[in-house]
């Protein structure tokens, strides 16, 4: 028992400092890029175009994070006024699709499943991101987060003796000290969410048994719904959990049921929802859970009925 609590404490510290570090570093980096390369962000991700959605998916593929670790970049993309649909494309893709996951699926399961999974997630995410483009996402944001969307480094007219007019614009100089202070102010607002979320995540990792799932599965639709719902309350990283998935398959769990469980748990988690609550209203969280569960259930159903290992 003492070992379990020690393991929990170590896991909590690891998750807490990892996520805090990501929030700080990614937040500062995105503020720096926003200050100096706002036009670039606007050009490649802010436009309401088909290509911006594909770029969002590509960004997700090359940044293989777990569900919680995607939040800092997703938050920063919204703050830089990137297209909401393209931001959603990144947000959904990053924890679900990356080269590591593809290679593991290829080696552990089958090349056909690896290819189908890649195409399925890509197309599904693309369509969903297009739908989100039509939504007024400002109605889904918390008031506190909406306030933070205003530029932190604004140009303030200051009167100078050299000017013949009433004022002249000053240079909007950005310093690393100012950057750190601004990011620290943002971090203080989300600190409770990170603390609670990572405490739950560490507890799930260390105290909740998962192996019992293989004893109660047969591959029907009701089972997929139950597995997806249960997985939402876990904290899973797909590429790290795939070896466990192989064990579950060998223990008798259908392949589709296993993938449904991993997709739902990898695409959304209770700690992630707590972090998202610092940005969005409950309506978005419900929509997000429904989307990830829908992806997981549909993919699992197809595997159980049309694929066999």
């Amino acid at each position: 028992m003492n070992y379990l609590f020690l393991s929990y404490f170590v896991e909590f510290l690891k998750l807490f400092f990892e996520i805090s570090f990501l929030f700080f570093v990614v937040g500062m980096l995105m503020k720096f890029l926003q200050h100096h390369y706002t036009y670039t962000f606007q050009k490649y991700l802010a436009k309401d175009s088909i290509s911006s959605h594909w770029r969002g998916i590509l960004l997700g593929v090359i940044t293989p994070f777990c569900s919680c670790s995607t939040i800092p970049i997703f938050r920063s993309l919204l703050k830089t006024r990137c297209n909401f649909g393209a931001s959603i494309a990144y947000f959904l893709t990053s924890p679900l699709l990356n080269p590591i996951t593809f290679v593991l699926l290829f080696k552990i399961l089958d090349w056909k499943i690896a290819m189908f999974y890649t195409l399925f997630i890509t197309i599904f995410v693309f369509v969903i991101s297009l739908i989100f483009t039509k939504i007024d996402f400002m109605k889904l944001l918390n008031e506190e987060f909406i306030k933070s969307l205003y530029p932190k480094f604004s140009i303030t007219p200051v009167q100078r003796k050299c000017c013949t007019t009433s004022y002249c614009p000053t240079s909007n100089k950005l310093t690393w000290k100012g950057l750190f202070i601004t990011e620290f102010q943002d971090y203080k607002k989300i600190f409770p969410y990170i603390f609670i979320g990572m405490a739950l995540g560490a507890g799930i990792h260390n105290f909740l048994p998962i192996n019992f799932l293989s004893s109660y599965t047969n591959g029907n639709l009701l089972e997929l719904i139950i597995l997806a719902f249960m997985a939402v309350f876990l904290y899973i990283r797909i590429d790290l959990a795939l070896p466990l998935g192989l064990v579950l398959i060998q223990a008798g769990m259908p392949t589709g049921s296993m993938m449904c469980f991993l997709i739902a748990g990898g695409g959304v988690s209770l700690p992630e929802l707590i972090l998202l609550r610092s940005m969005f209203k409950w309506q978005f969280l419900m929509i997000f859970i429904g989307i990830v569960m829908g992806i997981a259930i549909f993919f699992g159903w197809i595997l159980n009925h049309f694929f066999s290992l």
Side-chain angles (χ1 to χ4, degrees), residues 222-234 257 260-265 268 289 292-294 296-297:
L222 177 61
E223 171 193 300
L224 294 175
I225 294 173
I226 294 173
L227 283 173
F229 181 77
M230 291 175 61
V232 167
F233 296 96
L234 302 180
S257 300
C260 172
F261 183 73
L262 293 189
I263 291 172
V268 61
I289 293 173
V292 176
M293 286 185 61
I297 294 168

Side-chain angles (χ1 to χ4, degrees), residues 45-171:
L45 282 178
K47 290 183 178 180
D48 186 12
S49 63
I50 299 295
S51 60
S52 66
H53 296 262
W54 289 116
R55 292 188 185 104
I57 292 174
L58 178 60
L59 178 63
V61 170
I62 63 177
T63 54
F65 296 138
C66 66
S67 57
C68 285
S69 301
T70 59
I71 303 293
I73 292 182
F74 181 52
R75 184 185 182 94
S76 297
L77 289 176
L78 295 180
K79 283 195 171 187
T80 53
R81 309 297 179 87
C82 291
N83 179 275
F84 186 55
S87 301
I88 287 291
Y90 156 77
F91 184 54
L92 291 173
T93 303
S94 181
L96 295 180
L97 186 61
N98 60 72
I100 300 174
T101 301
F102 178 84
V103 171
L104 286 174
L105 284 172
F106 180 84
K107 293 189 68 176
I108 293 176
L109 298 179
D110 182 75
W111 71 268
K112 291 180 290 186
I113 292 180
M115 289 295 298
F116 178 66
Y117 176 79
T118 301
L119 291 174
F120 182 89
I121 296 297
T122 301
I123 294 173
F124 216 109
V125 168
F126 178 72
V127 172
I128 291 171
S129 68
L130 288 178
I131 294 174
F132 266 104
T133 302
K134 308 302 180 182
I135 297 176
D136 183 7
F137 79 98
M138 295 294 287
K139 294 181 180 180
L140 300 174
L141 296 176
N142 282 337
E143 292 184 8
E144 189 68 27
F145 185 69
I146 292 176
K147 294 177 183 178
S148 71
L149 291 178
Y150 293 99
K152 297 291 184 180
F153 307 97
S154 59
I155 300 177
T156 305
V158 178
Q159 185 173 356
R160 288 182 177 177
K161 294 181 180 179
C162 62
C163 298
T164 55
T165 56
S166 59
Y167 70 89
C168 61
T170 61
S171 61

Side-chain angles (χ1 to χ4, degrees), residues 220-276:
N220 59 43
L221 183 60
L222 177 61
E223 171 193 300
L224 294 175
I225 294 173
I226 294 173
L227 283 173
F229 181 77
M230 291 175 61
V232 167
F233 296 96
L234 302 180
Y235 185 37
I236 298 172
R237 180 162 172 165
I238 290 183
D239 49 2
L240 299 180
L242 272 173
L244 169 64
L246 178 61
V247 173
L248 295 177
I249 291 175
Q250 292 172 343
M253 176 182 277
T255 305
S257 300
M258 182 275 292
M259 287 301 299
C260 172
F261 183 73
L262 293 189
I263 291 172
V268 61
S269 65
L270 188 57
E272 177 190 26
L273 294 175
I274 293 173
L275 295 176
L276 280 175

